[in-house]
Each structure stands twice: as C-alpha cells, then as structure tokens.
C-alpha cells in the first residue's frame, strides 16, 4: 500500500503507486504493442499470483482492434463480430473504430453496433455515409434508415447488387407494415432473389403484414432452401394464424422433417387449435426422424416446458441414442431438469471421455452449468492439442462458459489467427460480465 506522508516524498510515492506489473501492462496497451502487452500480463499474473479479468480484457480488445485494422478483410470481419458480441467492454474499441478514417466498411459496422446500443451520434454519422458505393457500408447504413419515413430509399436498396444490402433493407422494411408498396416489393424479393438469406429476410419481414401477405408466404413453403421454408412457417403463423393452420397442417401429416418440426414448434408454442397435434408430431420426430430432425425436435420440445412424461421420453432417447449430436442436445436439455440431471451429467461426462469437438461441446455444456473441474481440464487440454476449430471452441468455452479467462489467455498466442480472435472475443465477453 502506498502511504503519502509528506510533500517531499509525494512525487516518489506517486511514481511508486503508478509503477509495478499492472502499470507495465497498461503502458504496453497504451503503446499499442500487443506482444509486449501479452508478455507484461504474464508477468503481472505471476507476480500477483492470479489474473485480472478486466486487465486481460483490455489486452484482448487490443488484439481484436489490430485485427480489424489489419489488411486481411476476412479476419477483420471476424474480429468485428467478436466485438459485437463482447458487451460493454468492447465499446471503447468500437468508438475508436467509428472515429477512424481508415477502412470505411469497418467504421460503418462499428457505427452500426453503437447505434443499436443507443448512440444517436453513431446513428447520424452512419446516415451521413449513405452516398458511399461500398456495399458493406450501405448494408450498415440500411440498419439505421427509418422504415416509414425513408421507405423509398429502402425499396431502392432492395434492388442493390449487394446481397447484404438487400437483406438489411428487407429486414428494416418489416417496420413499414402495412404499406402495400413495401409488401409487394418484399413478396417479389421473397420469390425471386437468387440469395437464400435475402429471401429469408424478406419472408420474415412479410410476417408483419398480416393476411395480405398470406399468399406470397404460402408460396415460400416450397422454396428450394430449407431455411427459407422454415422462415415461411413462422411468418405464416404471425401473418394469419387461422389460415396458417390449414396451410402448414399437411406438414404434420408427413414423415418427420425439419420444416415439419419448425411448423409444429410454432403451432405448439402458440397454443389453441392445432397445438395438441403439433406436440404429437414432435414426439414422433423425436423417436423416428433422422438424426438432425431428432435433435431439432428435442430442442423444440424443450422450449415448450415439457412435463414429466416428455422428460421420461427424453431420458429413454438418451439411453438409446447413438448419434453424438442428438445425445448432446438431449443431455443439454435434461441437465436443467432436476429429476434427470444425474443421468444427463453422466452422459456428458461419457462424451467428454472421447475426442475432438464432441468432447469439447459436452464440456462446454457442463461448464455453462457451473465451473465443473473435469470440464475445465478437458477444455484446457483441447485448447492446447486440438485442431484449430476445436481450439477455437475450447478457448471460447473456457473464457465465456467456465468464466476462466486466464486459462484461455495462451490462445491469444495461438498460431491460428481465428483461434486468437475467438479467444480474444470470449475473454472480452468475460470482462464485460465481470465489470
């Protein structure tokens, strides 16, 4: 502890207080020297006998900022995605990027995040970039355009050559309901756009337009893309639940499939007519669908607060199931149900005894339910020895699920850039949760 006893020693004492391992880390961060920041943090950790999540978060933030400002656009986009998910501790970096005269697309995306978090200044700055030719900039600009007051501009962006621009414009036009012009434009995009995610965005927006959007939405039940078909199910129920029952009911008479499971989930959640039939379909899908359909049905049923009978069915499935994806989904659900918790925990521990992503995913589930010591060991080992995708998942789970960011910090030096970026994002998220 620093004791400032008299004026003659004030300067010396202040210097002493300001010095030490923590100050060395801060100095390296302020100098924008990532390598030295990592080295000084390691020294700080050793001297203090432990870490500081907020200080480590600042080191992680520096890594992400450098990636955004780097020459590799794909890595910069990945780093920005991590900053978007990292919470309030990412705000200083986003604000610096928003004020930067560097890469316009990165600046626009940072402004869009800050605008979503309530910054009117960011919103207005982003709107001033509407004349930019870069599709990535325009995609960000679209997120702050007013759906009613600036509908004509959004309708024009629906015809832009950039798919990201069209998707964002379609999403914003949800707020223009019940405009007939916007509904017609969205219906056309939902039908003919060559990019499935744009069609899906238009379909979801059409759900806000009521019965007038029913026929265009029903046509999307036969879209070649499964994601669009699933979006159409939810949009139909939102637009006109009465007509939707007749339109999507046939899906519940077919063999279990992904679109049918989504239809059943939506109908069961809405209650009323059709809910009982929908629950019965989900039960059939749980027992007789393909592996991905069984896993989807288990997740759907878990969202409906299943009773004792369904817990028993999930337990039976857990005992018989061979597919690791389904076992993971079912065990994850049952871990939160007191009567089945022991069986679910045992299943996850068995999976952790395996290798690769299955073991990491099982450990991540246990870590989210508490800092399970065995799960932490599995994650730490996978972060050191696994393939890059496995190392990414392990580092992310160590920092974000197990809330052990200091154990994940070695991944900030990983040879794979994406591992470093994902680890930094998770460490920054842990710092936000701590602050």
């Amino acid at each position: 502890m620093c004791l400032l006893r008299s004026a003659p020693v004030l300067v010396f004492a202040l210097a002493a207080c300001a010095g030490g391992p923590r100050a060395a880390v801060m100095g390296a961060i302020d100098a924008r020297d990532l390598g030295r920041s990592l080295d000084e943090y390691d020294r700080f950790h050793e001297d203090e006998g432990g870490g500081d999540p907020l200080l480590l978060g600042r080191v992680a933030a520096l890594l992400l900022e450098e990636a955004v400002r780097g020459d590799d656009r794909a890595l910069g986009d990945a780093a920005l995605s991590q900053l978007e998910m990292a919470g309030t501790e990412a705000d200083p970096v986003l604000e610096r990027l928003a004020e930067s005269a560097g890469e316009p697309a990165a600046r626009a995306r940072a402004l869009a995040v800050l605008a979503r978090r309530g910054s009117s200044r960011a919103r207005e700055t982003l709107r001033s970039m509407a004349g930019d030719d870069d599709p990535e900039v325009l995609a960000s600009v679209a997120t702050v355009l007013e759906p009613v007051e600036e509908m004509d501009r959004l309708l024009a962006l629906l015809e832009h050559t950039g798919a990201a621009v069209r998707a964002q414009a379609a999403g914003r036009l949800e707020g223009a309901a019940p405009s007939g012009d916007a509904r017609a434009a969205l219906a056309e995009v939902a039908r003919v756009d060559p990019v499935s995610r744009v069609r899906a965005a238009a379909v979801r927006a059409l759900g806000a337009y009521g019965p007038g959007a029913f026929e265009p939405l029903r046509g999307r039940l036969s879209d070649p893309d499964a994601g669009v078909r699933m979006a159409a199910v939810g949009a139909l129920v939102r637009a006109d639940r009465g007509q939707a029952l007749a339109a999507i009911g046939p899906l519940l008479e077919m063999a279990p499939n992904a679109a049918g499971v989504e239809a059943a989930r939506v109908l069961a959640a809405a209650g009323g007519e059709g809910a009982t039939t929908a629950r019965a379909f989900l039960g059939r899908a749980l027992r007789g669908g393909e592996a991905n359909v069984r896993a989807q049905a288990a997740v759907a049923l878990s969202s409906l607060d299943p009773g004792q009978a369904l817990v028993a069915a999930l337990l039976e499935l857990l005992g018989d199931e061979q597919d690791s994806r389904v076992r993971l989904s079912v065990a994850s659900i049952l871990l939160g149900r007191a009567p089945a918790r022991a069986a679910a925990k045992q299943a996850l521990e068995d999976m952790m005894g395996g290798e690769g992503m299955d073991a990491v995913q099982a450990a991540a589930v246990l870590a989210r339910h508490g800092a399970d010591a065995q799960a932490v060991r599995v994650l730490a080992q996978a972060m050191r020895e696994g393939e890059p995708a496995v190392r990414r998942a392990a580092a992310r789970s160590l920092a974000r699920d197990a809330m052990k960011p200091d154990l994940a910090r070695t991944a900030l030096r990983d040879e794979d850039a994406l591992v470093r970026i994902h680890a930094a994002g998770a460490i920054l998220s842990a710092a936000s949760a701590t602050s």
Side-chain angles (χ1 to χ4, degrees), residues 85-142:
M85 297 185 293
T88 56
E89 289 298 307
D91 284 359
V93 174
L94 291 168
E95 288 165 0
R96 284 195 294 273
L97 292 170
E99 295 174 0
S100 170
E103 174 57 51
R107 183 182 181 224
R109 191 165 164 187
L111 285 164
V113 177
L114 292 170
R116 286 197 295 274
R117 293 181 182 176
S119 170
S120 58
R121 180 183 177 187
R123 177 181 292 272
E124 291 309 311
T125 303
L126 190 54
R127 290 168 64 87
S128 72
M129 301 171 71
D132 200 291
D133 294 331
D134 189 329
E136 293 188 51
V137 172
L138 286 178
S140 295
V141 170

Side-chain angles (χ1 to χ4, degrees), residues 346-356 358-360 362-363 366 374 378:
Q346 184 60 60
L348 290 166
E349 288 174 349
D350 291 344
M351 292 181 70
M352 283 198 303
E355 297 179 350
D358 287 347
V360 167
L366 285 170
Q374 182 184 355
V378 168

Side-chain angles (χ1 to χ4, degrees), residues 173-189:
L173 283 168
E174 178 178 337
S179 164
D181 289 343
R183 185 186 67 213
L186 286 168
E188 183 69 4
V189 169

Side-chain angles (χ1 to χ4, degrees), residues 197-217:
R197 68 185 174 104
V198 179
R199 298 199 303 277
V203 163
R204 286 190 291 269
L206 278 170
Y209 284 75
F214 182 80
E215 287 303 324
L217 286 172

Side-chain angles (χ1 to χ4, degrees), residues 110 129 136 145 218 232 243 336 356 390:
M129 301 171 71
E136 293 188 51
L145 295 180
R218 181 164 62 176
Q243 291 192 82
V390 172

Side-chain angles (χ1 to χ4, degrees), residues 263-324:
R265 183 194 68 79
V266 172
L267 290 174
E273 184 182 357
T276 301
T277 300
R279 283 179 177 267
F281 178 88
L282 289 173
R284 293 200 308 275
L286 190 68
R287 295 186 298 272
E290 295 181 355
N292 66 313
V293 174
R294 295 198 303 276
Q296 184 187 351
V299 173
L301 284 165
S302 72
S303 70
L304 302 173
D305 190 25
Q308 186 175 351
L310 190 52
V311 169
L314 290 173
L315 273 171
E316 182 179 355
L317 178 61
L318 183 63
D320 297 337
E321 184 60 54
Q322 299 300 311
D323 187 274
S324 60

